[in-house]
Amino acid sequence: EVSWITEEIRRNPAAPHALTRYAERFGMRPEALSRLFHRQTGENFAGYLRRKRIELACRLLLETDMPISEMAQACGYLDAKTFREAFHRVVGHAPRDYRKNHLQPFIRLI
């Protein structure tokens, strides 16, 4: 059962999650844990982690005005370039375009 891993990732997607560390913690070979993870989630570990981090990024893009460089670190990426590439791979758009095209302008009613 890999629900303990998915729960760890769900609680804090930005943390430094590593399949090898989880395997070590539970006395398994990383390859065996990787196969088990894929069987139980339908995704490989790296893809699942990337998707959860990008889901966090989408929320931050829509709910904050945090700069992309800060957002990269807040979502567990070491630099903005890697973050932008991962975001584009998952979402199909650059983070800036996602924010621009999915946000309704704030209109103050007078």
Side-chain angles (χ1 to χ4, degrees), residues 9-67:
I9 293 170
R10 187 195 64 76
R11 276 193 307 220
N12 187 1
H17 300 281
L19 186 69
T20 53
R21 198 164 16 104
Y22 287 125
E24 209 173 84
R25 194 161 113 192
F26 290 93
M28 297 177 75
R29 290 184 28 246
E31 299 81 11
L33 182 55
S34 180
R35 284 191 300 274
L36 180 63
F37 191 92
H38 189 271
R39 263 197 316 271
Q40 292 188 3
T41 66
E43 294 180 79
N44 67 36
F45 178 79
Y48 182 86
L49 178 58
R50 181 184 315 110
R51 185 171 58 80
K52 289 301 180 182
R53 286 178 170 174
I54 298 305
E55 286 174 5
L56 171 61
C58 287
R59 282 196 309 274
L60 292 173
L61 284 165
L62 297 179
E63 296 171 3
T64 74
D65 59 354
M66 181 184 293

Side-chain angles (χ1 to χ4, degrees), residues 50 54 77 82-93:
R50 181 184 315 110
I54 298 305
Y77 290 91
T82 305
F83 168 69
R84 284 191 303 270
E85 289 169 353
F87 191 93
H88 193 275
R89 188 176 317 127
V90 172
V91 178
H93 302 285

